[in-house]
Coordinates of all heavy atoms in Angstrom, one line a residue:
A244 N -4.5 -3.3 3.5 CA -4.3 -3.8 4.9 C -3.2 -4.8 5.0 O -2.4 -4.9 5.9 CB -5.7 -4.5 5.3
K245 N -3.1 -5.7 4.0 CA -2.0 -6.7 4.0 C -0.6 -6.1 4.0 O 0.3 -6.6 4.6 CB -2.2 -7.7 2.8 CG -3.4 -8.6 2.9 CD -3.6 -9.5 1.7 CE -4.7 -10.4 2.0 NZ -5.2 -11.1 0.8
A246 N -0.5 -5.0 3.3 CA 0.8 -4.3 3.3 C 1.2 -3.8 4.8 O 2.4 -3.8 5.1 CB 0.8 -3.1 2.4
H247 N 0.2 -3.6 5.6 CA 0.5 -3.2 7.0 C 1.1 -4.4 7.8 O 1.9 -4.2 8.6 CB -0.7 -2.6 7.7 CG -1.2 -1.3 7.2 ND1 -1.8 -1.2 5.9 CD2 -1.1 -0.1 7.6 CE1 -2.1 0.1 5.7 NE2 -1.6 0.8 6.7
V248 N 0.6 -5.6 7.5 CA 1.0 -6.7 8.2 C 2.5 -7.0 7.8 O 3.4 -7.3 8.7 CB 0.2 -8.0 7.9 CG1 0.7 -9.2 8.5 CG2 -1.3 -7.7 8.2
I249 N 2.8 -6.8 6.5 CA 4.2 -6.9 6.1 C 5.1 -5.9 6.7 O 6.2 -6.2 7.1 CB 4.2 -6.9 4.5 CG1 3.5 -8.1 4.0 CG2 5.7 -6.8 4.0 CD1 3.3 -8.1 2.4
A250 N 4.6 -4.7 6.8 CA 5.4 -3.6 7.4 C 5.7 -3.9 8.9 O 6.8 -3.7 9.4 CB 4.7 -2.3 7.3
I251 N 4.7 -4.4 9.6 CA 4.9 -4.8 11.0 C 5.9 -5.9 11.1 O 6.9 -5.9 11.9 CB 3.5 -5.2 11.6 CG1 2.7 -4.0 11.9 CG2 3.7 -6.1 12.8 CD1 3.2 -3.1 13.0
E252 N 5.8 -6.9 10.3 CA 6.8 -8.1 10.3 C 8.2 -7.5 10.0 O 9.1 -8.0 10.6 CB 6.4 -9.1 9.2 CG 5.4 -10.1 9.7 CD 4.8 -10.9 8.5 OE1 5.3 -10.8 7.3 OE2 3.7 -11.5 8.7
R253 N 8.3 -6.6 9.0 CA 9.6 -6.1 8.7 C 10.2 -5.4 9.9 O 11.4 -5.6 10.2 CB 9.4 -5.0 7.6 CG 10.6 -4.4 7.1 CD 10.2 -3.5 5.9 NE 11.3 -2.7 5.4 CZ 12.2 -3.2 4.4 NH1 12.0 -4.4 3.9 NH2 13.2 -2.5 4.0
L254 N 9.5 -4.7 10.7 CA 10.0 -4.0 11.8 C 10.3 -5.0 12.9 O 11.4 -5.0 13.6 CB 9.0 -2.9 12.3 CG 8.9 -1.7 11.5 CD1 7.7 -0.8 11.9 CD2 10.2 -0.9 11.4
L255 N 9.4 -5.9 13.2 CA 9.5 -6.9 14.3 C 10.7 -7.8 14.1 O 11.4 -8.2 15.0 CB 8.3 -7.7 14.5 CG 7.0 -6.9 15.1 CD1 5.9 -7.9 15.3 CD2 7.3 -6.2 16.3
E256 N 10.9 -8.1 12.8 CA 12.0 -9.1 12.5 C 13.3 -8.3 12.1 O 14.3 -9.0 11.7 CB 11.6 -10.0 11.3 CG 10.5 -10.9 11.7 CD 9.9 -11.7 10.6 OE1 10.4 -11.7 9.5 OE2 8.8 -12.3 10.8
G257 N 13.3 -7.0 12.3 CA 14.5 -6.2 12.0 C 15.0 -6.3 10.6 O 16.2 -6.2 10.3
K258 N 14.0 -6.4 9.6 CA 14.4 -6.5 8.2 C 14.5 -5.1 7.6 O 14.8 -5.0 6.4 CB 13.4 -7.3 7.4 CG 13.5 -8.8 7.8 CD 12.7 -9.7 6.9 CE 11.2 -9.6 7.1 NZ 10.4 -10.7 6.6
N259 N 14.1 -4.1 8.4 CA 14.2 -2.7 7.8 C 15.6 -2.3 7.6 O 16.5 -2.7 8.3 CB 13.5 -1.7 8.8 CG 14.0 -1.9 10.2 OD1 14.1 -3.0 10.7 ND2 14.4 -0.7 10.8
K260 N 15.8 -1.5 6.5 CA 17.2 -1.1 6.1 C 17.6 0.2 6.8 O 18.8 0.5 6.9 CB 17.3 -1.0 4.6 CG 16.8 -2.2 3.8 CD 18.0 -2.9 3.3 CE 17.7 -4.4 2.8 NZ 17.0 -4.4 1.5
K261 N 16.6 1.0 7.1 CA 16.8 2.2 7.9 C 15.8 2.3 9.0 O 14.8 1.6 9.0 CB 16.6 3.4 6.9 CG 17.7 3.5 5.8 CD 17.6 4.8 5.1 CE 16.4 4.9 4.2 NZ 16.2 6.1 3.4
N262 N 16.1 3.2 10.0 CA 15.2 3.3 11.1 C 13.9 3.9 10.7 O 12.9 3.6 11.3 CB 15.8 4.1 12.2 CG 16.8 3.2 13.0 OD1 17.0 2.1 12.7 ND2 17.4 3.8 14.1
Y263 N 13.9 4.7 9.7 CA 12.7 5.3 9.2 C 12.6 5.1 7.7 O 13.5 5.5 6.9 CB 12.6 6.8 9.5 CG 11.4 7.6 8.9 CD1 10.1 7.1 9.2 CD2 11.6 8.7 8.1 CE1 9.0 7.7 8.7 CE2 10.4 9.3 7.6 CZ 9.2 8.9 7.9 OH 8.1 9.5 7.4
E264 N 11.6 4.4 7.3 CA 11.4 4.1 5.9 C 10.0 4.5 5.4 O 9.1 4.6 6.2 CB 11.5 2.6 5.6 CG 12.8 2.0 6.0 CD 12.9 0.5 5.7 OE1 12.0 -0.2 6.1 OE2 13.9 0.0 5.2
I265 N 9.9 4.8 4.1 CA 8.7 5.3 3.5 C 8.4 4.4 2.3 O 9.3 4.1 1.5 CB 8.9 6.8 3.0 CG1 9.1 7.6 4.2 CG2 7.6 7.2 2.2 CD1 9.5 9.1 3.9
F266 N 7.1 4.0 2.2 CA 6.7 3.3 1.0 C 5.4 3.8 0.4 O 4.4 4.2 1.1 CB 6.4 1.8 1.4 CG 7.6 1.1 1.8 CD1 7.9 1.0 3.2 CD2 8.4 0.5 0.9 CE1 9.1 0.3 3.6 CE2 9.6 -0.2 1.3 CZ 9.9 -0.3 2.7
N267 N 5.4 3.9 -0.9 CA 4.1 4.2 -1.6 C 3.3 2.9 -1.7 O 3.8 1.8 -2.0 CB 4.4 4.5 -3.1 CG 5.0 5.9 -3.3 OD1 4.8 6.8 -2.4 ND2 5.6 6.2 -4.4
L268 N 2.0 3.0 -1.4 CA 1.1 1.9 -1.6 C 0.0 2.2 -2.6 O -1.0 2.9 -2.3 CB 0.5 1.5 -0.2 CG 1.4 1.0 0.8 CD1 0.7 0.6 2.1 CD2 2.3 -0.2 0.4
G269 N 0.2 1.7 -3.8 CA -0.8 1.9 -4.8 C -0.7 0.7 -5.8 O 0.0 -0.3 -5.4
T270 N -1.5 0.8 -6.9 CA -1.5 -0.3 -7.8 C -0.4 -0.1 -8.9 O -0.1 -1.0 -9.6 CB -2.8 -0.5 -8.5 OG1 -3.1 0.7 -9.3 CG2 -3.9 -0.7 -7.5
G271 N -0.1 1.2 -9.1 CA 0.8 1.6 -10.2 C 0.0 1.9 -11.5 O 0.6 2.3 -12.5
T272 N -1.3 1.9 -11.4 CA -2.1 2.2 -12.5 C -3.0 3.4 -12.2 O -3.7 3.4 -11.2 CB -3.0 1.0 -12.9 OG1 -2.2 -0.1 -13.2 CG2 -3.9 1.4 -14.2
G273 N -3.1 4.4 -13.1 CA -3.9 5.5 -13.0 C -5.3 5.3 -13.7 O -5.3 4.8 -14.8
L274 N -6.4 5.6 -13.0 CA -7.7 5.5 -13.7 C -8.4 6.8 -13.6 O -8.4 7.5 -12.5 CB -8.5 4.4 -13.0 CG -8.0 3.0 -13.2 CD1 -8.9 2.1 -12.3 CD2 -8.2 2.5 -14.6

Side-chain angles (χ1 to χ4, degrees):
K245 288 180 176 163
H247 292 75
V248 179
I249 295 172
I251 284 292
E252 276 164 10
R253 182 176 177 87
L254 290 170
L255 293 182
E256 292 170 14
K258 290 191 288 197
N259 53 311
K260 304 256 165 77
K261 293 191 286 181
N262 281 1
Y263 177 51
E264 297 180 315
I265 297 171
F266 294 95
N267 284 341
L268 296 182
T270 65
T272 302
L274 291 172

